[in-house]
Amino acid sequence: MPAPRLGPDYRAAALRKLASEEFDVLVIGGGVVGAGAALDAASRGFSVALVEARDWGAGTSSRSSKLIHGGLRYLEQLDFKLVFEALKERRLLLNKLAPHLVRPVPLLFPLRHRVWERGYAGAGVLLYDLIGRTRQLPPHRHLSRAGVLRAARGLDPRAMVGGIQFHEAQVDDARHTMTLARTAAQYGATVLTGARVTELVRAGERVAGAVVRDAETGAELTVAARRVIGATGVWTDETHRIAGVPAPFTVRMSKGVHLLVPRARLDLGSGLIMRTEKSVLFVIPWDRHWIIGTTDTDWDLDRAHPAVSRADVDYLLTRVNAMLAEPLTVADIVGVYAGLRPLLAGESAETAQLSREHAVAEPAPGLFVVAGGKYTTYRVMAADVVDAAVRGFGRAAPRSLTEHIPLLGALGYDEMWRERQDLAERTGLAPATVEHLLRRYGALISELLDLVAERPDLAEPLSGAPDYLRAEVVYAVTHEGALRLVDILTRRTRISIDQPDRGLAAAAEAAALAAPHLGWDAEREQAEIRHYTQRVEAERTAQQAADDHAANAARLAAGEPSPA
């Protein structure tokens, strides 16, 4: 079965279908849980619609720490159920579901205290290894101070007495979420971005669908559905509000900020994980960069664009510099991003202490809401909410099948990776380019190469972002559902955070490549460039602001893009 092309023709057909058919399940929210729920329900044989107000993963699911992990610190909290569950999901993603998007990453835990800390931390890591054992991840190992410095020469020898190295997994979260949605479409789901739910429709007391506004035209349509699932993350309380029902639980937002610095700037052969007074701090290898994060602070301002303040940047630099031989400065920072964790509200005053477990509720007949959890366990959350929603359909619902369903690009990836040198020779692309493409598209690289065969100029690097091909921009709009320039530069690619100018030099060429496929005229093309430029400028201004309120005001100055 060919992979669906989520281009303009698909979108037009999806709008017609949403307006004319009744679905078994309507999923609201195109983050990782919503996309996972759409795939779960569609693979069980239900008719499914999935609508997202902006873009796949535009909220929390493209702004994570890029880790698939069991949560080592949850062992310390004795939350064994969550750790077992998450490590099973890590194993599935590495081995079967998304090996092209999820891969091992080494992490070094520096020890700062003699004797007791090695025994205490070592016992936890040993148990973690035993629970999460998989062939892709080597066992942990204890290192002396000299051993740590051989593995990570950039560390300050005075800051630790030794260390423990173990492995986790990392994910390209934005591409993984988009690929989930596209895989759901392959299983028959009708999936649509730029489709904001403005109200829920009722048949008596029962929720029976939703009114959806098309962001491209402003037109509204009514989607009929037997069940509605809200997987809206930090917008969960808004879902309860438009439903006009009391909230069975509330979501507390925790802001997590991440910095990107060049890979060459830190002489580390491994990622790092360190304790802070509130939570943990990661330094994670990410292609040509290191990701440094994260913060864990309450946020009650704009949900769509959580802003990074100077205080956030200073906090991260201070904590990481405590371990480095040569401290980082603001001038070393290439990219910055922030995401909001949707935590179930509890009694703790600190977001870092709130549970990462999820909850499912039916606040109104026919409406099912899922919230909480963590990126790693999205599949479990999706299965749980679909189980609840399809109960009572009048026939026995099949069990979830998604632990057996590789995502698009997974099948054939291992073989293509082993033959990547031959593929480079056949296509004339540099071996490093082929590796880059395989790790982003997996076996779907063949679709990208078909574009290049039709237009050889698409094999050229994108101006201002030479790690990406021009073909990737075209593929983003013809196959992956990108509607706007910001979708291309921030989620289909990561140009907005991995280029020092945040993608400004690439914006014009990317817009020109996308324009004919999306039907943009010259005015719309310039509007897309202008909005992206304003967005970058607003983010830079926000980073100079002293606190969250000032940063939030600065970030909102860029506004939202609107069709020309």
Side-chain angles (χ1 to χ4, degrees), residues 445-487:
I445 187 177
S446 58
E447 296 183 341
L448 206 77
L449 295 176
D450 288 343
L451 293 178
V452 171
E454 294 172 11
R455 285 186 54 186
D457 66 293
L458 295 181
E460 296 298 319
L462 185 65
S463 297
D467 288 343
Y468 298 89
L469 301 185
R470 288 161 52 90
E472 295 184 73
V473 174
V474 174
Y475 189 82
V477 297
T478 58
H479 291 67
E480 296 180 336
L483 292 178
R484 302 183 183 279
L485 181 60
V486 68
D487 300 341

Side-chain angles (χ1 to χ4, degrees), residues 68-71 80-97 102 128-134 136-137 168-169 374 376-380 383 399-404:
I68 296 294
H69 64 107
F80 296 108
K81 177 181 178 294
L82 181 59
V83 175
F84 270 90
E85 185 176 82
L87 288 176
K88 175 189 175 183
E89 296 306 308
R90 186 184 72 177
R91 185 163 54 248
L92 282 170
L93 286 162
L94 279 167
N95 293 347
K96 182 189 296 185
L97 304 185
V102 180
Y128 196 69
D129 263 3
L130 292 174
I131 296 171
R133 182 178 294 154
T134 179
Q136 278 87 352
L137 303 183
E168 289 284 14
K374 53 188 284 188
T376 301
T377 56
Y378 79 88
R379 196 190 61 81
V380 177
R399 297 179 61 184
S400 175
L401 302 172
T402 51
E403 69 175 279
H404 307 294

Side-chain angles (χ1 to χ4, degrees), residues 359-403:
V360 174
E362 186 180 8
L367 173 65
F368 296 81
V369 177
V370 59
K374 53 188 284 188
Y375 194 107
T376 301
T377 56
Y378 79 88
R379 196 190 61 81
V380 177
M381 296 172 66
D384 285 352
V385 73
V386 172
D387 281 343
V390 302
R391 204 173 290 132
F393 262 8
R395 57 188 172 96
R399 297 179 61 184
S400 175
L401 302 172
T402 51
E403 69 175 279

Side-chain angles (χ1 to χ4, degrees), residues 55-124:
D55 184 30
W56 308 125
T60 300
S61 296
S62 62
R63 305 178 187 184
S64 74
S65 295
K66 322 300 182 199
L67 286 177
I68 296 294
H69 64 107
L72 184 59
R73 68 189 177 101
Y74 299 123
L75 278 182
E76 191 172 26
Q77 299 171 9
L78 304 182
D79 197 343
F80 296 108
K81 177 181 178 294
L82 181 59
V83 175
F84 270 90
E85 185 176 82
L87 288 176
K88 175 189 175 183
E89 296 306 308
R90 186 184 72 177
R91 185 163 54 248
L92 282 170
L93 286 162
L94 279 167
N95 293 347
K96 182 189 296 185
L97 304 185
H100 55 314
L101 299 171
V102 180
R103 60 188 61 89
V105 60
L107 294 176
L108 178 65
F109 179 67
L111 299 172
R112 303 184 187 185
H113 307 280
R114 298 187 183 278
V115 185
W116 73 266
E117 190 180 19
R118 186 177 293 278
Y120 180 75

Side-chain angles (χ1 to χ4, degrees), residues 247-408:
F249 46 72
T250 57
V251 169
R252 186 167 165 185
M253 296 184 292
S254 167
K255 184 175 72 167
V257 172
H258 302 80
L259 313 177
L260 274 77
V261 301
R263 192 73 173 267
R265 180 60 182 80
L266 298 179
D267 189 2
L268 303 175
S270 171
L272 302 177
I273 175 173
M274 299 168 282
R275 290 178 181 272
T276 69
E277 65 275 19
K278 291 184 177 180
S279 182
V280 293
L281 184 73
F282 292 102
V283 179
I284 305 161
W286 180 256
D287 293 332
R288 298 180 185 270
H289 300 86
W290 297 98
I291 295 176
I292 300 171
T294 179
T295 59
D296 200 338
T297 56
D298 276 331
W299 178 265
D300 58 4
L301 302 170
D302 183 66
R303 290 173 168 85
H305 304 293
V308 179
S309 70
R310 188 174 69 239
D312 295 322
V313 174
D314 290 345
Y315 171 86
L316 288 173
L317 289 179
T318 298
R319 297 308 179 277
V320 74
N321 283 341
M323 294 298 301
L324 299 178
E326 184 180 346
L328 295 169
T329 70
V330 172
D332 293 311
I333 298 172
V334 172
V336 174
Y337 66 94
L340 299 177
R341 303 178 191 88
L343 303 179
L344 294 179
E347 297 179 357
S348 173
E350 296 291 337
T351 57
Q353 299 302 314
L354 294 177
S355 171
R356 298 306 300 274
E357 294 191 63
H358 64 276
V360 174
E362 186 180 8
L367 173 65
F368 296 81
V369 177
V370 59
K374 53 188 284 188
Y375 194 107
T376 301
T377 56
Y378 79 88
R379 196 190 61 81
V380 177
M381 296 172 66
D384 285 352
V385 73
V386 172
D387 281 343
V390 302
R391 204 173 290 132
F393 262 8
R395 57 188 172 96
R399 297 179 61 184
S400 175
L401 302 172
T402 51
E403 69 175 279
H404 307 294
I405 297 176
L407 302 190
L408 288 172

